[in-house]
Amino acid sequence: MKKKLLFIYNPKSGKAQIKNKLSDILEIFSQAGYEITVFPTGKRGDAAQLMETRSPEYDLVVCCGGDGTLDETVTGMMNSGFKTPMGYIPAGSTNDFAGSLGLPKSMVKAAGTAVEGELFSCDVGSFNDDVFIYIAAFGIFTDVSYETDQDMKNLLGHMAYLLEGMTRISSVKSYHMKVTYDNQEIEDDFIFGMVTNSVSVGGFHNITGKNVKLDDGVFEVTLIKTPQNPVELNDILFSLISRNMNSNCMYCFRTKQVNFETEAGVAWTLDGENGGVHTNVTIKNICKGIDIKINS
């Protein structure tokens, strides 16, 4: 009996190049001995809904798209209550998580990894009742990725996020928060915060910390304090760009669980997608929550 593979892809991700690679990808799956079910997504939520109701008979699920498509696929899998081995073919604008996993940039080569690679058990994050793969964030820049037009993303890649974000510098919003983790408590004003399981964010490497591991059961947390003047803001931006974390303007720590409390609602993003507005957020690390194919 042939093995069964569910292939989910977003035809609009990145520069929509998958349309030119689709037959090559399917041929690789077929040659690996799989009976293939193909599902192109048409709107947000399609991948998550399909994964929640998928048959347990599938031996492998492969998704192709950007970080948002991957996020939906994993969210649906976690909500379904059972795991299926996964493959991922990156086809988005930045593909932060794919880079962290060391997946090939070529879609055809990534398809080969999806069927021939070795399984890697990777951490996943829970965000209240939701799920994320590699980043939960609030503050400056974080609303850029889902408010930036898809055509602009396709044309400029992660530079689109920066160009859009630069227009916000003059009106930086501050958030007063109480943050608790590992019997520690921080109360301060922040312009940005991120809880990550990735070596890059927005296409920038190493700003999440050093010696990042994706299966160690902890997240890297970065909280940037509200600058009191333009000089402090420049210091913050320089620290991020130069990958030199400045303890005078930010908090950096690792933890398996962290809670954020605010009086006013704060908008969050999960893997670059709108995560809603919340006054109380609990983020937990689900250690080795998914099994995903990587290069041997």
Side-chain angles (χ1 to χ4, degrees):
M1 182 181 294
K2 275 194 171 185
K3 298 175 291 183
K4 293 187 177 182
L5 184 154
L6 175 61
F7 180 50
I8 303 170
Y9 75 95
N10 182 350
K12 295 183 179 179
S13 286
K15 298 178 181 179
Q17 291 181 352
I18 188 174
K19 294 178 181 178
N20 300 323
K21 305 293 184 181
L22 188 56
S23 62
D24 293 334
I25 291 171
L26 295 179
E27 183 178 356
I28 288 173
F29 295 163
S30 180
Q31 289 180 348
Y34 285 97
E35 177 184 309
I36 312 159
T37 301
V38 180
F39 183 86
T41 60
K43 62 182 184 303
R44 186 179 179 185
D46 280 355
Q49 183 177 8
L50 177 66
M51 286 297 294
E52 287 183 21
T53 59
R54 78 191 186 284
S55 168
E57 294 181 358
Y58 286 111
D59 299 284
L60 180 67
V61 173
V62 180
C63 71
C64 178
D67 294 329
T69 305
L70 177 65
D71 174 274
E72 278 199 27
T73 303
V74 173
T75 296
M77 182 180 299
M78 300 297 290
N79 290 340
S80 74
F82 66 96
K83 288 199 295 185
T84 303
M86 279 191 61
Y88 178 42
I89 301 173
S93 302
T94 54
N95 302 314
D96 284 312
F97 192 67
S100 296
L101 292 172
L103 296 178
K105 294 182 179 179
S106 161
M107 283 188 280
V108 174
K109 290 182 179 179
T113 298
V115 292
E116 302 294 346
E118 64 181 27
L119 283 175
F120 172 69
S121 295
C122 182
D123 296 347
V124 177
S126 73
F127 177 97
N128 290 348
D129 295 326
D130 212 332
V131 174
F132 67 97
I133 305 301
Y134 75 97
I135 181 171
F138 69 86
I140 185 172
F141 296 131
T142 56
D143 63 341
V144 170
S145 63
Y146 62 81
E147 289 188 356
T148 303
D149 182 80
Q150 182 66 53
D151 290 337
M152 188 177 182
K153 288 183 185 180
N154 292 348
L155 179 64
L156 298 175
H158 76 263
M159 283 303 297
Y161 306 156
L162 297 182
L163 291 172
E164 181 74 14
M166 289 302 292
T167 66
R168 318 290 181 87
I169 290 293
S170 61
S171 58
V172 174
K173 188 174 181 179
S174 179
Y175 305 89
H176 187 79
M177 288 185 163
K178 182 169 73 173
V179 183
T180 54
Y181 70 99
D182 300 340
N183 297 319
Q184 303 290 321
E185 183 175 302
I186 299 169
E187 188 165 355
D188 214 327
D189 297 322
F190 304 103
I191 61 168
F192 175 78
M194 62 181 178
V195 181
T196 60
N197 191 44
S198 176
V199 299
S200 71
V201 171
F204 292 96
H205 291 272
N206 300 326
I207 68 170
T208 59
K210 298 179 180 179
N211 303 315
V212 173
K213 295 182 179 180
L214 307 186
D215 62 347
D216 58 1
V218 296
F219 289 122
E220 285 68 38
V221 181
T222 302
L223 303 172
I224 299 179
K225 301 177 188 179
T226 302
Q228 301 303 309
N229 51 61
V231 174
E232 289 189 4
L233 178 58
N234 286 337
D235 288 343
I236 290 169
L237 294 176
F238 178 78
S239 294
L240 291 173
I241 294 171
S242 65
R243 305 162 187 167
N244 180 25
M245 298 296 105
N246 185 343
S247 60
N248 293 323
C249 58
M250 63 184 71
Y251 299 93
C252 299
F253 56 89
R254 291 176 175 173
T255 184
K256 63 180 180 181
Q257 179 173 330
V258 58
N259 182 259
F260 297 84
E261 295 179 58
T262 59
E263 290 187 4
V266 174
W268 286 76
T269 63
L270 305 179
D271 298 329
E273 302 295 324
N274 191 339
V277 177
H278 306 270
T279 57
N280 195 311
V281 167
T282 298
I283 296 176
K284 300 178 182 179
N285 186 293
I286 304 171
C287 186
K288 300 182 178 181
I290 61 170
D291 298 324
I292 191 165
K293 293 288 191 77
I294 63 173
N295 285 326
S296 302

